Amino acid sequence: MAKVKPLSLEKILFSQGFGTRRYCNDLVYAELVYVNGQLVTDPDLTIQTEALNLRVDGQEWAYHEKAYIAFHKPPNYECSHKTKHHPSVYGLLPSPFIERGVQCVGRLDHDTTGLLLISDDGQFIHQMTTPKKNIGKIYRITTSESISQLQIKQLLEGVVLDDDPRPVNAKDCVQLEDRQIEMTIVEGRYHQVKRMIAAVGNHVLLLHRVMIGSYQLPSDLEEGKWRWLTVEDCALLGKNHTK
Ligand code: URA
């Protein structure tokens, strides 16, 4: 791993999303910034960024060069900065994330719940969303009607959606209950799961994303809450889940 460079406190605050360079300077001069528990009043002070903990105007903040976060999306939120009918998931995140330009890594519908990745690393977002990478996403689906063996077979073999003649298929499909399955898909077409289920003559009532690659939504991460992903978590994201 590349050695982390020390940076001035002003640059660090700016990189983390605490405002303009000028505003970050002012935060330091106003004695609102603590570095690893110590008050620092010089914005030009050079600081090692490894394992760095800041407190900025009362907000605890662990330095991360890039943001990789797991978020438990609640229902009735849109994955967009400019929402149409519901509040934005971005409103549930601390403001420095918005300032540093984080984006959802693929969107979930407003009524879908579960694991959503959010990042400010464009390369990571691309890698996680390109179908070429073949990264599986597992959805728990509750339907209005019983799910038949024929429907599961059709989902696995491939169905044609109305906007594209190329069939899409589930990589895996496991029945949990009469009206509940867990389905793995690798592409991310518009409303893909709902349209696949409709294509086999059923209807999605509840949709919840449980896993991306081999990274599972942590059971102790409550709806509406987020957490930093570790290097190990990111490695799991890029590795397909095997049973
Ligand atoms: N497929 C859908 O239909 N909706 C989602 O939110 C995600 C996948």
Side-chain angles (χ1 to χ4, degrees):
M1 200 190 266
K3 192 152 169 38
V4 274
K5 264 200 333 241
L7 294 172
S8 74
L9 181 54
E10 180 216 289
K11 278 195 182 149
I12 289 173
L13 291 169
F14 176 70
S15 74
Q16 298 302 284
F18 283 100
T20 61
R21 300 281 282 261
R22 172 94 182 261
Y23 186 76
C24 291
N25 261 311
D26 289 347
L27 283 169
V28 182
Y29 287 133
E31 303 193 349
L32 290 170
V33 181
Y34 287 76
V35 175
N36 297 327
Q38 300 281 316
L39 178 66
V40 175
T41 53
D42 176 6
D44 295 324
L45 184 74
T46 302
I47 292 167
Q48 183 55 253
T49 52
E50 205 171 335
L52 169 63
N53 281 298
L54 301 163
R55 183 145 55 90
V56 183
D57 199 6
Q59 184 174 19
E60 296 293 339
W61 194 262
Y63 173 89
H64 286 80
E65 188 180 349
K66 291 281 176 200
Y68 306 100
I69 64 176
F71 177 71
H72 187 163
K73 184 189 172 295
N76 303 320
Y77 280 84
E78 291 179 29
C79 293
S80 162
H81 286 285
K82 286 196 187 124
T83 60
K84 289 201 177 114
H85 305 292
H86 301 274
S88 167
V89 291
Y90 297 110
L92 297 172
L93 300 175
S95 58
F97 281 134
I98 315 307
E99 187 77 22
R100 65 197 271 185
V102 295
Q103 302 290 336
C104 293
V105 182
R107 293 183 179 189
L108 293 176
D109 296 337
H110 77 87
D111 50 355
T112 302
T113 57
L115 178 59
L116 180 65
L117 305 178
I118 297 175
S119 177
D120 60 357
D121 180 347
Q123 212 178 338
F124 171 77
I125 296 174
H126 175 72
Q127 279 183 354
M128 290 306 302
T129 46
T130 174
K132 281 189 206 137
K133 281 269 169 186
N134 234 16
I135 296 175
K137 286 153 283 247
I138 304 183
Y139 291 87
R140 185 170 306 144
I141 305 160
T142 308
T143 54
S144 58
E145 313 300 327
S146 300
I147 303 157
S148 67
Q149 284 311 304
L150 175 64
Q151 288 175 345
I152 291 182
K153 186 166 173 280
Q154 289 169 328
L155 290 167
L156 288 167
E157 284 177 355
V159 294
V160 174
L161 306 179
D162 45 13
D163 63 345
D164 194 334
R166 291 170 306 147
V168 270
N169 69 300
K171 276 267 167 274
D172 197 13
C173 200
V174 178
Q175 186 140 23
L176 304 178
E177 288 177 26
D178 180 48
R179 294 187 299 112
Q180 196 173 64
I181 52 172
E182 270 189 4
M183 181 165 92
T184 309
I185 58 169
V186 293
E187 291 176 67
R189 294 200 211 167
Y190 184 62
H191 294 324
Q192 182 170 329
V193 172
K194 289 177 186 165
R195 293 195 298 150
M196 285 177 75
I197 298 297
V200 299
N202 210 324
H203 175 75
V204 173
L205 282 186
L206 293 171
L207 186 54
H208 179 77
R209 184 154 68 188
V210 288
M211 199 183 273
I212 298 178
S214 297
Y215 180 80
Q216 191 161 11
L217 178 69
S219 57
D220 59 347
L221 186 62
E222 290 168 24
E223 271 191 2
K225 301 288 183 210
W226 64 275
R227 79 173 42 155
W228 295 103
L229 289 167
T230 64
V231 174
E232 292 78 24
D233 294 336
C234 289
L236 287 175
L237 285 169
K239 214 164 37 178
N240 267 325
H241 179 62
T242 46
K243 288 201 201 77

